[in-house]
Amino acid sequence: MSTNSIKIFSGNAHPDLAYLIARRLGLDLGKVVVSKYSNQETSVTIGESVRDEDVFLVQSGCGEINDNLMELLIMINACKTASARRITAVMPCFPYARQDKKDNSQGRAAARLSTMRVSLWVRVGHDHVVAVQLGLAPHPGVFNIPVDNLYAEPSVLKYIRDHVPNWATDSVIVSPDAGGAKRATSIADRLGIDFAIIHKERKKANEVSRMVLVGDVKGKAAILVDDMADTCGTLCLAAKTLVDHGASAVYAIVTHGILSGKALQAINDSPLTQVVVTNTIPHDEKKVKCPKLATIDISATLAEAIRRTHNGESVSYLFTHAPE
Amino acid sequence: MKPKFVKKLLLNISRWKSVDQFGTPSPPASIKEVLDEPSSEISIEVVQPAHSVRSIELTTSPSSSPTAPTFAPAVTKAAESAAVQHEPAPASFDPIGAGAGRLIDVPAPVQAPAVPLPTKDSTSEPQTATPAPQPVTPEPRADNRSSPPPAAAAAAAEPEKRLRPTRMRDLIVLSGSSHPDLTAAICDRLGLRPGDVTRAKFSNNETRVEIQESVRGMDVFVVQSACGTVNDQLIELLILLAACKTASARRVTVVMPLFPYARQPETPYMRNGMPIARLSNDACAKLVEMQGGVPFPHPVSVPASRANSRAPSRAQSRAPSRAPSPIRGMSVGSMDRGRAAGGKGGPEYQVWNAKPATLIADMLVSAGADQIITMDLHHPQFMGLFDIPFDNLSSYPLMHKYIVEHIPAWQDAVIVSPDSGGAKRATTIADALELPFALIHNDRRHATAEPTLVGSVADKATIVIDDMIDTGHTIATASELLVRHGAAKVYAVVTHGIFSSDAIERLMAAPLDRVVVSNTVPQADHLRAAIHAGHMGKAAASHKFQVFDVAPLFAETIRRIHYGESVSFLFDVVPIVR
């Protein structure tokens, strides 16, 4: 029985992360050319044989999401028709995850994207999905193929232990909204420190009107944890609230730093000491504009997950430990 | 019956009567608007074949300029606005002139004689003062999960149009953001307004679609053409289909005038005809170099403006002056690179070009399409990939009509196919018109071989028939060849006018007498680009670049499908245009 090898291909969403993952595994990235035709249709050319190989396609759902999504789908299809043994989509940031939470009040037919995603994915032909989340997966059971939802939590814990001064005695984990309370408590319990919650009172759909702090942050470093930072409106308001309540410093640790629009400006103007994001989404040029930005590298976690999946070992080790 | 209902019913009945008077396939209303623009205000920068920004409002109220959610939030791209409620083009027919006073100076409606556009254009005074649509910058978002800015001013639509229902019996037509003008024209023919759909993007570029009215139990037709940013349109279409499905629509039909990913790239091959084997490191590096030095092994991304040439199936033996596209680099077109790749790799492995036809078919069906209507599919055998009903409409009757009515001395013309793949297409029209036929053949296996003409065109007017113009290489080269062989005139009649990057300039510079395309892809911006690039004045440019309207054909198909009548009737006869 022949053994197959790992082949890692990357789309255009985040090639640097793919390169880091491959380097971790001691491999070269697979040869693939992904570009656009003149009429803006995506073109994918796979430059090496994937027959009977274990193929991992690294593509994050960031930037031009629709283009990147199409690139990924076409790459999956191409590998399938090229007789790959198993195809895994490694999506550090899974797109269209937030729109599930829309409510259908007033009977409007807003698209329920979980359905769209499922229908998209079911027929495409891949066998496995690896995604990164901080906390519980928002959609267990939706897919009928194995989904490995990795947690950035161990990396976050490691970062706090290494970089926040006096974390054991002088810090508090804060969740910027009620929905993330479970996330925050989980981290706080692991570290053995207190936690607090900021509760938003929304008057209108887009506006955050008042933030109420539940818990005590006086004289301590507040560490905000969240899964996504997009426009950072919530984050900056939360930081201001915490400082008003006496926090000595405010850190923000976010899994996916989308940081669109005026986010960088808002961060620079806010009382945040540091904003830490993982490299699921590329942000190198943003760090130049915003010196408060720092990075947690999760390529190690992803590489380890790939290795374990390929060898048939348990991935659950990664739920509690961050590889060095 | 309530008086309001009676009034609506009477209005609708009178419209149904007028709907039968289709008349000649005049250019679509959006094109007429472009021609009515005062010349000084034509915007110059358009080169991308983006979906038409907005049809010009012919009212003079400045507030009616669209502030709708933008579709391309990236700052570097030209921002395009998609109106929430389309301002439908002014009626191309409205004989009864119903409704509160007409506020629009519309050129004579459908019954206009088949006079070429210049005469009409030169005599009409530019009544309208509205400039070309301005790019709209995205409004700042307040929050992570923000909603799009408020709906565009629908006040620009005439009051009488607003009286129209969005649904007829249980038929409703929804538009994607690719071609709202065509949807508006189709709905005109049906006596409807397009359904209310909000389309926007979140600040992180995710597409957001909301159907603002109930489609429960309705026969829904979603119109989306694969032009401009194809991937965005496709995902938007899928989301729209899923939304209709989960909103309990009875049946959802997708109307895609231009079908996405319809052309499949051919596997690149070497001089001797064998497929190119694995991409060696050298070949990859060379490919990467051609795109501007992104270091291997990172995959490359070519901006659309530089990937100018299509797959080898469309590659010409004469390379254009700019850098070739990645696929082209592997083809016979540039021999040195091809040889380098082929020589080292050995014959074991074939470079694998993704052919996403099945993928697209599966995606559409999974998202919830129950039926698909398209026009002039590039590979007609795609119909076999679908398990659902698939209607591939033919634009040939409309082309036939155009040729007979607008091409002078067509009885002495020769129909020419610009490549051997399109021979069947051209012979169909040649037989219907009872004209002789000629063919241009490219021998791709020899890079330096000239294209050859099979047939005779000396001293004759030639009509080149093709299904799409993308980069314009094929048609431009064909026209040069025909002129060299003594053709008196060269007309090009093509279904889908995609016109990527600098295709318009190439065609305006080529020895073509006329380029005629349909409006399956929005053409208003292309016309503007043609006027600018042609350096020959608006009248002459608009005579060289003409558009024939396919909305009546689609509207009639929709009607027939809805009522369960025969659609194949439309393939042979031209009932709608008599």
Side-chain angles (χ1 to χ4, degrees):
Chain A
M1 163 132 142
S2 65
T3 54
N4 58 354
S5 56
I6 298 177
K7 295 255 177 183
I8 302 182
F9 296 99
S10 170
N12 287 326
H14 200 359
D16 293 330
L17 180 65
Y19 181 66
L20 287 172
I21 292 173
R23 202 180 60 177
R24 272 271 166 177
L25 293 167
L27 297 172
D28 284 329
L29 272 181
K31 297 189 197 99
V32 66
V33 180
V34 183
S35 63
K36 281 191 173 186
Y37 289 119
S38 49
N39 64 344
Q40 310 224 30
E41 288 176 3
T42 303
S43 133
V44 168
T45 311
I46 304 184
E48 51 185 83
S49 171
V50 295
R51 186 177 287 274
D52 206 38
E53 307 281 13
D54 202 356
V55 176
F56 291 84
L57 303 167
V58 180
Q59 181 86 322
S60 197
C62 56
E64 285 297 323
I65 292 187
N66 294 331
D67 281 338
N68 292 336
L69 199 53
M70 284 305 298
E71 279 177 17
L72 177 62
L73 295 174
I74 295 179
M75 277 201 288
I76 294 175
N77 189 308
C79 291
K80 183 98 184 166
T81 49
S83 330
R85 188 196 281 194
R86 178 172 64 176
I87 304 165
T88 304
V90 179
M91 306 196 70
C93 180
F94 199 82
Y96 290 102
R98 288 193 286 169
Q99 295 195 39
D100 283 345
K101 298 181 197 153
K102 277 152 62 67
D103 58 335
N104 271 351
S105 58
Q106 301 164 24
R108 298 237 179 101
R112 289 217 296 273
L113 282 151
S114 58
T115 326
M116 195 264 306
R117 267 209 322 281
V118 171
S119 55
L120 255 192
W121 294 108
V122 157
R123 307 275 282 262
V124 166
H126 60 321
D127 309 294
H128 197 173
V129 174
V130 175
V132 179
Q133 284 289 347
L134 177 65
L136 283 184
H139 39 82
V142 157
F143 290 85
N144 58 355
I145 51 171
V147 176
D148 279 324
N149 198 32
L150 299 178
Y151 299 109
E153 197 182 287
S155 311
V156 169
L157 295 172
K158 184 163 162 304
Y159 186 89
I160 294 176
R161 288 192 193 108
D162 291 342
H163 291 89
V164 176
N166 297 328
W167 60 270
T169 49
D170 285 337
S171 62
V172 181
I173 306 286
V174 184
S175 166
D177 55 31
K182 204 156 177 195
R183 208 181 292 135
T185 50
S186 152
I187 293 180
D189 289 345
R190 291 270 175 77
L191 293 169
I193 52 182
D194 292 333
F195 86 102
I197 300 181
I198 291 184
H199 171 57
K200 269 182 287 209
E201 281 178 1
R202 275 185 204 267
K203 292 230 176 67
K204 287 199 290 190
N206 313 357
E207 290 183 16
V208 174
S209 54
R210 212 161 69 96
M211 301 193 111
V212 178
L213 176 66
V214 178
D216 183 29
V217 296
K218 226 181 197 43
K220 300 207 175 170
I223 306 176
L224 283 161
V225 266
D226 203 355
D227 59 346
M228 286 201 191
D230 191 359
T231 49
C232 292
T234 322
L235 224 49
C236 296
L237 260 173
K240 192 167 168 308
T241 313
L242 289 165
V243 162
D244 288 342
H245 279 90
S248 59
V250 183
Y251 296 83
I253 306 187
V254 179
T255 311
H256 303 299
I258 303 170
L259 303 172
S260 59
K262 298 211 170 74
L264 298 176
Q265 183 68 34
I267 293 176
N268 279 336
D269 295 339
S270 72
L272 284 162
T273 317
Q274 201 176 46
V275 174
V276 189
V277 294
T278 64
N279 56 352
T280 48
I281 296 177
H283 54 270
D284 280 336
E285 67 279 357
K286 295 194 172 118
K287 277 168 109 163
V288 171
K289 290 187 200 152
C290 178
K292 292 186 190 177
L293 223 47
T295 311
I296 294 178
D297 184 14
I298 45 124
S299 65
T301 314
L302 287 167
E304 194 56 30
I306 289 175
R307 211 176 60 93
R308 283 164 179 262
T309 309
H310 175 69
N311 291 335
E313 301 166 13
S314 158
V315 175
S316 47
Y317 175 81
L318 295 171
F319 296 161
T320 47
H321 297 85
E324 292 298 318
Chain B
M1 291 198 282
K2 295 197 192 131
K4 204 158 124 187
F5 177 77
V6 172
K7 179 175 166 193
K8 267 198 197 167
L9 188 61
L10 287 174
L11 264 175
N12 282 339
I13 289 178
S14 54
R15 256 187 227 108
W16 291 335
K17 264 198 257 163
S18 60
V19 151
D20 293 327
Q21 307 163 23
F22 285 98
T24 60
S26 59
S30 60
I31 299 299
K32 286 190 220 153
E33 287 152 15
V34 173
L35 297 171
D36 288 337
E37 279 171 353
S39 318
S40 57
E41 298 184 64
I42 290 174
S43 101
I44 295 296
E45 79 265 353
V46 175
V47 176
Q48 293 273 4
H51 45 271
S52 96
V53 181
R54 266 314 319 132
S55 56
I56 320 287
E57 298 102 24
L58 294 185
T59 60
T60 50
S61 60
S63 61
S64 58
S65 62
T67 53
T70 58
F71 202 76
V75 179
T76 47
K77 285 196 239 167
E80 297 146 24
S81 56
V84 169
Q85 291 217 351
H86 327 279
E87 288 97 354
S92 51
F93 71 95
D94 200 18
I96 51 174
R102 308 284 300 162
L103 16 100
I104 292 127
D105 299 298
V106 177
V110 151
Q111 277 75 20
V115 174
L117 296 164
T119 27
K120 210 161 42 177
D121 182 55
S122 51
T123 52
S124 72
E125 287 298 299
Q127 301 283 347
T128 64
T130 319
Q134 313 296 325
V136 176
T137 51
E139 296 182 28
R141 311 275 176 186
D143 192 16
N144 278 2
R145 294 138 176 94
S146 50
S147 51
E158 306 100 302
E160 166 244 305
K161 282 245 158 61
R162 259 183 283 132
L163 283 177
R164 285 194 183 173
T166 55
R167 52 193 64 197
M168 166 171 82
R169 221 169 72 163
D170 51 351
L171 167 68
I172 186 169
V173 179
L174 303 178
S175 172
S177 50
S178 58
H179 203 353
D181 287 338
L182 185 66
T183 319
I186 292 174
C187 290
D188 262 357
R189 295 282 174 174
L190 296 168
L192 297 174
R193 227 174 0 109
D196 294 336
V197 178
T198 321
R199 298 175 304 261
K201 278 203 168 187
F202 285 108
S203 54
N204 67 340
N205 275 350
E206 284 180 10
T207 304
R208 172 199 170 122
V209 168
E210 274 192 24
I211 307 177
Q212 302 291 350
E213 44 183 295
S214 168
V215 295
R216 185 179 289 275
M218 307 276 289
D219 198 1
V220 182
F221 289 82
V222 182
V223 180
Q224 179 86 308
S225 198
C227 50
T229 48
V230 176
N231 294 332
D232 277 338
Q233 316 293 9
L234 195 52
I235 300 285
E236 191 196 53
L237 174 63
L238 296 173
I239 298 178
L240 205 45
L241 290 175
C244 292
K245 231 14 192 214
T246 52
S248 324
R250 180 169 58 82
R251 176 175 69 172
V252 183
T253 306
V254 183
V255 180
M256 302 199 79
L258 174 61
F259 200 79
Y261 293 92
R263 291 180 288 170
Q264 302 289 278
E266 280 194 18
T267 314
Y269 49 84
M270 306 188 285
R271 179 196 277 271
N272 62 2
M274 294 300 296
I276 287 182
R278 92 167 48 101
L279 271 179
S280 62
N281 279 351
D282 289 3
C284 247
K286 282 209 167 90
L287 269 182
V288 165
E289 247 176 67
M290 287 195 285
Q291 276 117 40
V294 175
F296 179 76
H298 295 206
V300 297
S301 162
V302 179
S305 56
R306 277 157 69 201
N308 61 332
S309 167
R310 192 50 180 76
S313 61
R314 299 239 149 216
Q316 299 300 312
S317 53
R318 254 170 300 167
S321 52
R322 61 197 64 72
S325 77
I327 310 300
R328 190 182 160 77
M330 301 302 296
S331 80
V332 178
S334 18
M335 277 318 302
D336 49 346
R337 292 180 177 103
R339 207 181 298 129
K344 286 208 170 122
E348 322 89 69
Y349 172 67
Q350 201 180 1
V351 168
W352 203 264
N353 254 329
K355 296 173 173 57
T358 344
L359 173 68
I360 304 294
D362 278 343
M363 277 163 60
L364 284 172
V365 173
S366 307
D370 294 311
Q371 195 160 4
I372 300 189
I373 305 173
T374 188
M375 176 173 269
D376 284 350
L377 200 55
H378 187 73
H379 291 296
Q381 60 265 32
F382 276 8
M383 295 210 276
L385 295 173
F386 289 87
D387 289 332
I388 54 175
F390 191 105
D391 281 311
N392 186 15
L393 298 179
S394 167
S395 68
Y396 304 147
L398 287 171
M399 280 188 185
H400 178 128
K401 178 122 186 98
Y402 181 90
I403 291 173
V404 163
E405 291 182 355
H406 293 271
I407 293 191
W410 63 272
Q411 293 93 337
D412 293 326
V414 179
I415 303 284
V416 180
S417 169
D419 54 30
S420 33
K424 194 163 174 206
R425 198 180 301 131
T427 46
T428 316
I429 294 193
D431 289 344
L433 290 165
E434 294 172 6
L435 293 177
F437 162 74
L439 172 68
I440 296 177
H441 177 57
N442 289 313
D443 190 1
R444 268 174 290 144
R445 291 176 188 241
H446 300 97
T448 50
E450 292 282 308
T452 47
L453 177 67
V454 178
S456 145
V457 297
D459 296 327
K460 295 233 178 181
T462 52
I463 306 174
V464 182
I465 304 275
D466 205 356
D467 65 337
M468 58 173 77
I469 292 182
D470 188 3
T471 52
H473 282 303
T474 318
I475 300 277
T477 328
S479 65
E480 283 160 19
L481 180 71
L482 289 168
V483 163
R484 268 212 309 278
H485 280 263
K489 293 231 177 227
V490 183
Y491 302 97
V493 182
V494 175
T495 310
H496 305 296
I498 303 172
F499 299 117
S500 314
S501 62
D502 57 353
I504 298 268
E505 279 116 23
R506 187 169 302 124
L507 290 174
M508 295 307 271
L512 276 170
D513 287 282
R514 211 185 292 179
V515 172
V516 187
V517 293
S518 76
N519 61 344
T520 48
V521 170
Q523 299 297 339
D525 288 337
H526 299 155
L527 179 57
R528 284 194 198 101
I531 291 171
H532 171 65
H535 305 295
M536 54 175 77
K538 193 155 54 146
S542 61
H543 185 65
K544 181 161 179 177
F545 183 99
Q546 294 193 14
V547 180
F548 66 91
D549 196 3
V550 293
L553 188 55
F554 278 106
E556 191 58 25
T557 311
I558 290 175
R559 236 173 46 110
R560 282 166 178 262
I561 287 178
H562 179 65
Y563 288 111
E565 300 167 20
S566 158
V567 173
S568 49
F569 186 59
L570 295 171
F571 293 135
D572 305 321
V573 192
V574 191
I576 61 162
V577 290
R578 289 272 168 239

